[in-house]
């Protein structure tokens, strides 16, 4: 049965490590070329996108997941990412929302979504669920809490499933 | 001696041997291996497999003596570098000992495997002192006049748990 | 001139030498006198002592004898009277004569009554010498004995004789007194050993006699018994105990008032010590006085004599002093002095002669002085003129010589030049040939070097290929090694599985063990191979480096050779030019040389004649120089003497 269960993911390849983000967490994506710096930014929330439409301008704060992961996993990459995925605030957990509202979202008007910069080498894939493995028991809780709930071990590359919600809130300012 | 007598003697020796076997001590098997310049041992039952040339993938948010994950049969194994734990200096390590830990996937990064020895009960000791490092040993065995510490895996795992909890 | 001993010293030694024998004689005389005197004194004292000793002997003897005689006489006469009593009793009819005789016999023979002294007894002896009444040997005829014969003759009186009792070793002096009773023809004999009566003597009398003896006023005599107790006399100076043991007979001891001589003699029969104490001090004092007097007189006479002689000599030898002084002055060159106050004796004569000699000598010197003066002047003149001539000719000769040497130099220079130029021409020609040869050589070398270069490159390529081959071997070895490693791990894993399988896996375990051991040995072998390959690799690396080094060197050599070739070409060109010019120079120089030679010969002739002239003037010069030297030295000698201005003979 498990053979037929697949999951759609965004697959960011960093060489010996790769990352998976559940597509359901981020339905939209956009190429972000012109961003505006945020006044009340923190480590990884330093910029925002401004969409203007008939509804007005929407401010979208950007979390630079790319930079974050580079720092955390000590990758040798200085390539900038241009890809941004967009997550509606509704998909985020209460804790995350409250954290954001006190920080980066504080003065933002009309903010309905946050953006997450990810590696430009990201592709969409369908991964069979049984390829995903839980972490080694002893490390499980810690990693889950930090936003990496599961692993995706491949020959030559170890993958990590990313929970955007926890990553933004659990590690903001850290890393 | 004629053949009958020889035969008798041989048979009596055999009996004797059997008797001896009965009275024989119990032997236990230990795997002896190197972590850096130090020799350690583990009971053979606690070791599942020895792997070579395994890539270790970095894992964040873990203590420095956890070198990362090794991929065995599509499963992530937590890799311990015990020299990092004991002496704060990591080894190059070319082999992995896959341990038989129930409900988890644990591996030890080691430099080389030495041998599997049969140790009589009499040469298995428990440790008397409990200093910084020896809390991770379950005892010691005497092999060819040398004392080799036997690792206590559960203690090591306990340490990791407490370190993670604190962080 | 060596200084002789001064006459003062002479006088002292002379006087000493004359005084010495006199003193010696005096000393000998005085010494002898004293010695003789001393001896005489000693002898005197000795004689005195001996005389006193003899006297003492006699006194003692007399005393002893007297005591003994009296005692024995009393005993003998008493018993004779007793005999008479009993005889008269018998005559009176009181008893028979035999009974009376028997009575007296009994009495005489009674051991107690009849004892005389310690060991002797009374006896009755007939006039015929028969021992009628005798306690030991009655009836024995003793007329044979000498003493008995004497007794038979005497019949009454005292006699002494030597007697040995039966059983005794030595004969002792016996004394006996006889008292004859005619009626019965019996001599009553009381005898005894003298020694047994010494205790009887009248000590007081002896003492009186001894004490009265005086020797030189303070000397005395003391008699002591054999135990040392004083029997007679008085040891007033208390010196008898000071006699040293080894000088018991004659000793000289220090007493209260000076030296004392003690002569001691032991009386044979009594054993008494008779000591005569004679004072020596009066004699000693006398002797000392004499010594002092003699000594003093010797010293005084010596001193007197010495001074007397000394002054005598002084007076006699005074003129010698002045003569000596004068002689010294002469030796220093001062001839002005003379001896004055000449005495009338032989020494004065000598002084006269001395004066005369000096005067004569002064005269001679004065004459010589004037002669030398004249001589000196003429020589000086001669010398001056000779010198003038010599210097002039010298100048001429010098001038000519200069010209000559200059010419010689020039000549020499031209000759040298010529030689040198010829050499240069030769060398230049040689050089050209050498260069051409060298050139050919270089060509050959260069082509050889090219060959070397080619060979070298090929070698290096070969080495590099080898290196590559080694690398591939290396890879293979590594592969083998890794397989062995893997095998080992597989074996380990197998063992682990087998351990887990328990009994069932035992066989499998053994096999796994074997595989592991195989893997181990493989690893060992591959390690060895690795080692060897390493060595080879190192060797070939070194080789490459060396070869590359070699190549570099070769290239360098090639470059150098090429350079040399260029240089040689230049040299070849220039050497051609040089040879030609050298020839031209050589020819002109030859002409110059021959004209020089003509001038040269003429100058030489002139020089020779001047030379001979200079020689003769030089000779004259030398002679006069010599003369001057002689006169100067002579003059110096003479001038060393100071002479009186005017002489009086």
């Amino acid at each position: 049965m498990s053979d037929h269960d697949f999951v759609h993911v965004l697959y960011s390849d960093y060489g010996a490590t790769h990352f998976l983000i559940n597509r359901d967490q981020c339905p939209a994506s956009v190429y972000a070329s012109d961003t505006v710096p945020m006044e009340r930014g923190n480590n990884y929330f330093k910029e925002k996108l401004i969409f203007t439409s008939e509804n007005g301008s929407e401010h979208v704060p950007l979390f630079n997941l790319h930079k974050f992961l580079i720092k955390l996993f000590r990758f040798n990459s200085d390539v900038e990412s241009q890809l941004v995925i967009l997550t509606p605030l509704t998909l985020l957990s209460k804790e995350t929302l409250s954290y954001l509202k006190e920080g980066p979202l504080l003065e933002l008007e009309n903010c309905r979504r946050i953006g997450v910069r990810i590696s430009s080498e990201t592709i969409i894939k369908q991964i069979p669920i049984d390829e995903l493995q839980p972490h080694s028991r002893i490390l499980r809780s810690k990693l889950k809490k930090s936003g990496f709930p599961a692993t995706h071990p491949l020959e030559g590359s170890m993958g990590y499933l990313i929970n955007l919600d926890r990553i933004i809130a659990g590690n903001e300012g850290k890393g | 001696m004629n053949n009958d007598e020889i035969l008798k003697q041989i048979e009596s020796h055999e009996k004797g041997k059997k008797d001896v076997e009965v009275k024989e001590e119990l032997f236990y098997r230990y795997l002896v291996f190197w972590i850096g310049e130090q020799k350690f041992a583990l009971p053979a039952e606690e070791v599942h497999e020895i792997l070579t040339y395994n890539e270790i993938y970095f894992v964040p948010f873990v203590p420095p003596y956890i070198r990362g994950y090794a991929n065995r049969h599509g499963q992530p194994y937590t890799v311990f570098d015990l020299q990092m734990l004991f002496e704060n200096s990591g080894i190059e390590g070319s082999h992995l000992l896959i341990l038989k830990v129930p409900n988890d996937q644990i591996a030890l990064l080691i430099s080389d495997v030495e041998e599997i020895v049969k140790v009589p009960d009499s040469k298995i000791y428990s440790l008397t002192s409990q200093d910084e490092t020896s809390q991770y040993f379950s005892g010691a065995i005497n092999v060819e006049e040398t004392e080799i510490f036997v690792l206590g895996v559960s203690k090591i795992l306990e340490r990791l748990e407490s370190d993670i909890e604190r962080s | 001139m060596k200084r002789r001993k001064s006459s003062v010293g002479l006088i002292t030694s002379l006087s000493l030498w004359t005084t010495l024998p006199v003193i010696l004689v005096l000393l000998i005389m005085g010494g002898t006198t004293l010695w003789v005197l001393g001896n005489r004194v000693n002898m005197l004292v000795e004689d005195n002592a001996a005389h006193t000793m003899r006297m003492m002997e006699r006194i003692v003897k007399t005393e002893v004898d007297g005591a003994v005689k009296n005692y024995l006489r009393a005993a003998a006469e008493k018993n004779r009277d007793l005999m008479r009593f009993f005889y008269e009793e018998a005559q009176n009819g009181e008893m028979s004569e035999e009974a009376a005789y028997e009575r007296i016999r009994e009495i005489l023979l009674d051991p107690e009554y009849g004892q005389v002294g310690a060991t002797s007894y009374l006896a009755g002896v007939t006039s015929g010498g028969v021992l009628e009444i005798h306690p030991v040997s009655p009836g024995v005829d003793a007329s044979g004995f000498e003493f008995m014969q004497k007794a038979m003759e005497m019949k009454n009186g005292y006699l002494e004789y030597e007697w040995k009792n039966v059983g005794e070793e030595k004969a002792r002096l016996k004394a006996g007194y006889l008292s004859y009773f005619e009626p019965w023809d019996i001599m009553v004999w009381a005898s005894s050993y003298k020694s047994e009566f010494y205790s009887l003597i009248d000590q007081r009398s002896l003492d009186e006699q001894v004490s009265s003896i005086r020797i030189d006023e303070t000397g005395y005599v003391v008699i002591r018994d054999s135990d040392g107790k004083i029997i007679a006399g008085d040891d007033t100076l208390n010196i008898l105990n000071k006699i040293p043991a080894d000088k018991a007979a004659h000793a000289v001891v220090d007493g209260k008032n000076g030296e004392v001589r003690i002569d001691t003699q032991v009386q044979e029969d009594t054993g008494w010590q008779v000591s005569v104490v004679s004072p020596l001090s009066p004699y000693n004092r006398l002797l000392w006085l004499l010594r002092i007097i003699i000594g003093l007189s010797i010293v005084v006479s010596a001193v007197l004599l010495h001074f007397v002689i000394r002054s005598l000599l002084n007076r006699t030898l005074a003129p010698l002093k002045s003569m000596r002084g004068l002689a010294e002055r002469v030796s220093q060159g001062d001839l002005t002095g003379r001896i004055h106050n000449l005495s009338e004796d032989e020494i004065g004569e000598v002084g006269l002669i001395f004066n005369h000699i000096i005067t004569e000598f002064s005269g001679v010197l004065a004459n010589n002085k004037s002669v030398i003066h004249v001589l000196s002047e003429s020589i000086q003149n001669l010398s001056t003129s000779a010198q003038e001539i010599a210097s002039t000719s010298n100048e001429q000769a010098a001038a000519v010589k200069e010209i000559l040497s200059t010419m010689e130099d020039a000549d020499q220079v031209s000759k040298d030049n010529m030689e040198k130029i010829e050499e240069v021409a030769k060398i230049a020609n040689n050089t050209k040939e050498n260069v051409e040869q060298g050139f050919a050589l270089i060509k050959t070398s260069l082509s050889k070097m090219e060959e070397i270069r080619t060979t070298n490159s090929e070698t290096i390529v070969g080495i590099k290929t080898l290196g590559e081959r080694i690398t591939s071997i290396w890879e293979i070895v590594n592969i083998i090694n890794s397989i062995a490693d893997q095998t080992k791990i597989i074996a380990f894993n197998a063992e682990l599985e087998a351990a887990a399988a328990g009994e069932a896996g035992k066989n499998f375990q053994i096999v796994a063990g074997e595989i592991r051991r195989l893997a181990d040995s493989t690893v060992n072998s591959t390690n060895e191979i690795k080692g060897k390959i390493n060595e080879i690799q190192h060797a070939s690396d070194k080789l490459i480096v060396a070869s590359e080094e070699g190549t570099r060197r070769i290239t360098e050599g090639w470059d150098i050779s090429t350079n040399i070739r260029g240089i040689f070409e230049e040299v070849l060109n220039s050497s051609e030019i040089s040879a030609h010019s050298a020839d031209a120079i050589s020819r002109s120089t030859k002409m110059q040389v021959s004209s020089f030679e003509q001038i040269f010969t003429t100058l030489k002739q002139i020089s020779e004649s001047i030379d001979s002239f200079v020689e003769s003037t030089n000779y004259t010069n030398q002679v006069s120089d010599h003369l001057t030297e002689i006169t100067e030295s002579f003059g110096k000698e003479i001038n060393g003497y100071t002479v009186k201005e005017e002489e009086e003979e």
Side-chain angles (χ1 to χ4, degrees):
Chain A
M1 280 301 274
S2 51
D3 294 320
H4 300 300
D5 288 333
F6 289 88
V7 61
H8 282 141
V9 291
L10 292 175
Y11 185 106
S12 306
D13 194 356
Y14 286 84
T17 315
H18 60 273
F19 300 95
L20 311 175
I21 303 174
N22 195 344
R23 194 78 174 87
D24 294 344
Q25 272 197 332
C26 49
S29 60
V30 68
Y31 248 78
S33 41
D34 40 357
T35 57
V36 169
M38 264 209 310
E39 302 84 32
R40 275 180 164 253
N42 319 36
N43 268 344
Y44 295 100
F45 270 111
K46 283 200 164 98
E47 44 183 357
K48 61 185 175 185
L49 280 173
I50 302 176
F51 294 131
T52 32
S53 66
E54 55 282 3
N55 298 341
S57 52
E58 185 198 348
H59 290 225
V60 181
L62 294 189
F63 177 76
N64 198 333
L65 181 64
H66 176 68
K67 260 221 178 71
F68 173 78
L69 290 174
I70 287 175
K71 192 79 189 291
L72 183 64
F73 282 81
R74 300 167 200 166
F75 294 135
N76 274 337
S77 175
D78 49 7
V79 177
E80 286 291 329
S81 79
Q82 304 295 353
L83 186 56
V84 171
I85 50 174
L86 300 162
T87 305
L89 292 178
T90 48
L91 287 180
L92 297 177
S93 67
K94 269 201 205 101
E95 295 86 15
T96 310
L97 270 173
S98 64
Y99 164 75
L100 285 173
K101 283 213 167 99
E102 277 155 34
L105 292 186
L106 195 57
E107 283 177 10
L108 290 179
E109 44 184 270
N110 197 13
C111 175
R112 280 185 288 126
R113 296 181 287 188
I114 62 160
V116 179
R117 263 199 202 275
I118 56 172
S119 166
S120 305
E121 307 296 318
T122 306
I123 57 176
I124 299 176
K125 274 187 95 163
Q126 272 197 60
I127 307 281
I129 284 194
D130 50 10
E131 268 184 20
L132 294 170
Q133 297 291 335
H135 284 289
S136 165
R137 193 175 289 269
I138 203 166
L139 303 177
R140 212 169 283 178
S141 66
K142 176 70 182 180
L143 287 169
K144 206 161 161 187
K145 239 191 330 188
S146 306
F148 300 92
T151 66
H152 185 238
L154 285 186
E155 191 73 38
S157 184
M158 178 61 69
Y160 292 88
L161 182 64
I162 289 181
N163 179 359
L164 276 179
D165 186 53
R166 293 261 5 130
I167 277 215
I168 292 166
N171 293 294
E172 220 298 299
K174 302 184 203 156
Chain B
M1 262 195 199
N2 64 22
N3 286 346
D4 285 339
E5 284 168 345
I6 294 171
L7 213 59
K8 260 205 210 118
Q9 248 198 353
I10 297 171
E11 281 167 10
S12 72
H13 277 165
E14 199 180 57
K15 268 219 200 95
K17 256 193 244 166
K18 282 226 180 86
D19 291 334
V20 167
E21 262 177 344
V22 168
K23 291 190 211 127
E24 221 178 71
E25 276 184 285
L26 286 175
F27 278 83
Y28 296 92
R29 276 199 210 81
Y30 285 83
L31 178 70
V32 178
F33 50 90
W34 295 88
I35 298 181
E37 305 291 315
Q38 269 270 67
K39 258 204 263 202
F40 296 98
L42 275 173
E45 314 81 72
E46 288 186 26
V47 181
H48 196 57
E49 195 182 348
I50 305 165
L51 295 179
T52 6
Y53 311 124
N54 233 276
E55 202 170 325
I56 298 171
Y57 304 99
F58 174 83
V59 172
F61 305 120
V62 294
Y65 53 84
I66 303 299
R67 293 286 284 268
Y69 277 141
N71 185 351
R72 176 177 176 264
H73 302 328
Q75 287 215 300
Y77 276 73
T78 303
V79 178
F80 278 83
D81 179 347
L82 290 179
Q83 185 166 282
M84 187 66 99
L85 175 62
F86 299 152
E87 291 169 34
N88 268 320
S89 118
I91 56 166
E92 292 275 320
S94 52
H95 300 276
L96 281 176
L97 286 188
I98 306 298
L99 302 182
K100 282 190 195 163
V101 175
N103 304 325
D104 209 342
Q105 296 80 49
I106 307 289
L108 294 183
L109 186 64
I110 60 170
S111 308
D112 201 0
V113 186
E114 175 82 357
E115 57 179 338
I116 295 176
V117 284
K118 275 210 254 188
V119 184
D121 203 14
S122 56
K123 300 229 166 145
I124 301 171
Y125 314 107
S126 51
L127 293 183
T128 42
S129 67
Q130 280 296 314
D131 62 37
E132 181 62 39
T133 325
S134 52
Q135 59 180 301
Y136 301 114
F137 305 143
S138 70
I141 52 166
N142 187 320
V143 176
E144 280 165 29
E145 312 306 316
T146 358
E147 200 182 51
I148 304 173
F149 292 118
V150 178
L151 296 173
V153 176
S154 43
K155 284 269 166 46
I156 295 168
L157 293 177
E158 273 172 36
R159 166 75 191 268
L160 178 57
E161 270 178 31
S162 73
D163 280 349
I164 284 178
E165 229 167 293
R166 268 189 270 143
S167 71
Chain C
M1 223 184 313
K2 215 165 106 177
R3 273 201 78 111
R4 299 203 166 227
K5 239 207 287 208
S6 67
S7 50
V8 176
L10 183 66
I11 287 172
T12 314
S13 62
L14 270 178
S15 55
L16 271 174
W17 278 108
T18 39
T19 321
L20 223 58
V22 173
I23 294 173
L24 223 66
V25 166
L26 283 175
L27 275 171
I28 291 170
M29 276 181 20
T32 319
T33 312
L34 284 170
W35 181 74
V36 167
L37 216 60
N39 268 6
R40 281 294 318 88
V41 163
N42 265 346
M43 266 171 33
L44 193 72
V45 173
E46 253 183 67
D47 284 345
N48 230 11
H51 174 75
T52 315
M53 190 70 75
R54 280 194 295 276
M55 194 170 74
M56 288 316 306
E57 244 179 278
R58 278 201 300 277
I59 293 173
V60 169
K61 191 170 190 317
T62 314
E63 285 293 314
V64 170
D65 285 353
V68 172
K69 200 196 265 186
N70 288 340
Y71 180 86
L72 291 174
R73 183 179 177 165
E77 287 185 350
K78 181 178 85 180
N79 285 302
R80 192 209 51 194
D81 289 346
L82 202 60
M83 194 176 274
R84 177 177 289 130
F85 171 77
F86 280 106
Y87 179 72
E88 284 176 358
E89 285 278 297
Q91 294 300 100
N92 292 340
E94 294 294 330
M95 53 176 76
S96 68
E97 210 174 306
E98 290 91 13
Y101 188 81
E102 198 50 45
R103 230 23 264 283
I104 190 73
R105 188 202 199 106
E106 267 178 38
I107 292 169
L108 287 180
L109 290 178
D110 180 61
E112 253 190 74
Y113 179 79
Q115 190 169 23
V116 181
T119 57
S120 306
Y121 33 79
L122 292 170
V125 183
T126 66
S127 58
V130 177
L131 309 177
E132 272 281 342
I133 305 168
H134 202 275
V136 176
S137 18
V140 167
D141 182 359
S143 57
F145 290 101
E146 202 183 300
F147 73 86
M148 187 55 77
Q149 281 163 9
K150 199 155 158 219
M152 282 151 52
E153 222 183 278
M154 279 170 56
K155 293 200 175 94
N156 280 302
Y158 176 80
L159 81 149
E160 287 184 0
Y161 56 96
E162 299 264 333
W163 180 251
K164 193 169 77 150
N165 266 345
V166 171
E168 283 171 1
E169 253 183 49
K170 209 170 109 177
R172 292 183 282 162
L173 194 61
K174 244 185 156 172
Y177 207 92
L178 311 160
S179 193
Y180 190 56
F181 188 66
E182 212 188 320
W184 278 339
D185 187 31
I186 291 285
M187 294 186 285
V188 177
W189 191 306
S191 70
S192 175
Y193 286 104
K194 245 179 138 177
S195 55
E196 292 167 8
F197 286 98
Y198 293 152
S199 46
L200 292 175
I201 63 163
D202 184 356
Q203 273 208 320
R204 211 162 28 101
S205 157
L206 184 64
D207 187 40
E208 263 182 41
Q209 291 191 58
V210 170
S211 298
S212 67
I213 300 174
R214 277 281 163 278
I215 305 172
D216 287 327
E217 285 169 46
T218 52
Y220 54 86
V221 178
V222 175
I223 302 179
R224 294 174 286 171
D225 66 9
S226 47
D227 294 326
K229 193 175 106 202
I230 296 181
I231 306 174
D234 192 18
D235 185 12
T236 40
L237 292 176
N238 206 9
I239 41 123
L240 287 178
N241 48 359
K242 289 195 193 156
I243 302 174
D246 53 334
K247 290 200 177 23
H250 310 282
V252 175
V253 170
D254 276 322
K256 267 188 293 196
N257 308 322
E259 272 190 344
V260 158
R261 190 198 163 92
I262 311 171
D263 297 287
T264 311
Q265 211 179 65
V266 178
Q267 293 267 345
E268 237 187 74
D269 28 356
T270 55
W272 292 346
Q273 301 172 59
V274 179
S275 301
V276 177
V277 180
S278 333
L280 295 176
S281 30
Y283 301 108
N284 283 347
R285 260 178 253 135
L286 189 65
L287 280 173
W288 265 109
L289 200 64
L290 276 172
R291 279 196 199 109
I292 290 167
I293 291 172
I294 289 174
L296 264 174
S297 16
I298 289 175
V299 168
V300 167
S301 37
V303 170
L304 274 173
L305 197 60
H306 179 82
F307 276 111
V308 163
I309 290 176
R310 212 191 160 86
S311 61
L312 252 170
L313 284 175
N314 255 333
R315 256 189 303 141
T316 322
L317 297 179
L320 274 181
K321 233 197 312 200
S322 54
M323 266 196 275
R324 196 213 68 201
L326 185 68
E328 229 184 280
R329 278 162 68 187
V330 170
S331 72
Q332 303 285 351
D334 178 8
L335 295 176
T336 53
R338 297 288 181 279
I339 303 177
H340 308 289
N341 305 323
L342 296 168
S343 50
E344 293 289 325
D345 52 25
E346 296 94 313
I347 293 175
E349 268 190 47
V350 171
L352 256 178
I353 295 169
F354 202 55
N355 282 344
H356 188 71
I357 291 172
I358 294 175
T359 315
E360 290 288 328
F361 189 42
S362 302
V364 169
L365 278 178
N367 282 340
N368 280 342
K369 266 193 183 169
S370 49
V371 165
I372 283 167
H373 193 66
V374 170
L375 186 62
S376 205
E377 272 186 39
S378 5
I379 290 173
Q380 200 59 38
N381 289 335
L382 176 63
S383 187
T384 320
S385 28
Q387 268 179 5
E388 279 176 25
I389 299 169
S391 66
T392 322
S393 354
N394 267 340
E395 278 171 31
Q396 280 179 338
V400 170
K401 275 207 168 56
E402 263 187 57
I403 301 170
L404 212 57
S405 69
T406 318
M407 301 235 38
E408 273 178 4
D409 283 346
D411 186 39
Q412 191 58 38
V413 165
S414 326
K415 282 215 178 96
D416 282 347
N417 279 346
M418 200 169 76
E419 281 175 25
K420 280 191 185 130
I421 288 164
E422 279 176 4
E423 270 182 50
V424 170
K426 246 195 267 166
I427 288 167
N429 279 324
N430 279 344
T431 309
K432 196 167 109 179
E433 281 172 31
N434 286 342
V435 167
E436 278 167 1
Q437 276 178 26
F439 208 63
L441 263 170
I442 286 181
K443 278 209 194 126
T444 329
S445 313
L446 280 177
S447 63
K448 286 237 164 62
M449 295 209 70
E450 186 61 46
E451 282 174 37
I452 292 170
R453 260 211 337 199
T454 321
T455 322
N456 192 45
S457 316
E458 285 167 13
T459 314
I460 288 179
V461 166
I463 291 169
K464 285 204 171 127
T465 320
L466 175 66
E468 281 156 23
R469 298 243 171 85
I470 288 169
T471 314
S472 47
I473 296 172
W474 189 258
E475 281 166 13
I476 295 166
V477 167
N478 278 338
I479 290 167
I480 296 170
N481 219 18
S482 76
I483 292 172
D485 277 339
Q486 286 177 41
T487 315
K488 193 167 89 174
I489 300 297
I490 292 168
F492 268 120
N493 285 328
E495 270 199 67
L496 288 169
E497 284 301 321
E503 263 308 305
K506 249 205 181 137
N507 292 334
F508 189 55
Q509 207 179 59
I510 294 167
V511 172
E514 288 307 312
I515 296 172
R516 180 154 61 79
R517 269 180 273 284
L518 174 64
D520 276 338
S521 71
T522 311
V523 169
N524 284 340
S525 314
T526 48
N527 278 339
E528 276 184 45
I529 296 170
K530 271 192 194 168
K532 291 267 151 48
I533 293 172
N534 250 336
E535 284 175 34
I536 297 170
Q537 193 136 34
H538 283 144
S540 68
D541 283 341
K542 277 196 200 148
L543 205 53
I544 290 173
V545 169
S547 313
E548 279 170 354
E549 178 70 24
T551 309
R552 196 172 58 78
R553 294 253 169 95
I554 289 166
T555 315
E556 277 179 30
W558 175 264
D559 292 336
I560 292 169
S561 306
T562 320
N563 282 340
I564 292 175
R565 181 186 175 150
I567 293 168
F568 258 83
E569 277 179 359
E570 283 180 38
V571 171
L572 187 63
N573 287 337
S574 36
S575 66
E576 279 179 352
I577 301 166
S578 307
H580 180 70
S581 336
D583 280 333
I585 297 171
S586 177
R587 261 179 273 127
S588 51
T589 316
K590 276 204 175 106
M591 287 190 333
Q592 196 186 10
V593 166
S594 61
S595 34
F596 256 147
E597 278 186 3
Q598 283 169 22
I599 304 169
F600 198 60
T601 322
T602 321
L603 278 178
K604 250 203 174 145
Q605 284 169 8
I606 300 171
S607 173
E608 269 159 31
S609 36
I610 292 178
D611 273 343
S612 56
F613 184 52
V614 168
E615 257 188 59
S616 38
T617 46
N618 270 343
Y619 187 63
T620 317
N621 221 19
Q622 272 181 33
V623 168
S624 58
D625 275 342
H626 196 57
L627 277 174
T628 314
E629 269 179 43
I630 295 172
T631 29
E632 269 178 18
S633 68
F634 192 42
K636 252 203 227 125
E637 277 222 47
I638 291 177
N639 280 332
Y641 290 96
T642 338
V643 182
K644 266 190 175 175
E645 280 309 301
E646 294 197 344
E647 272 308 302
E648 286 167 7
E649 292 265 79

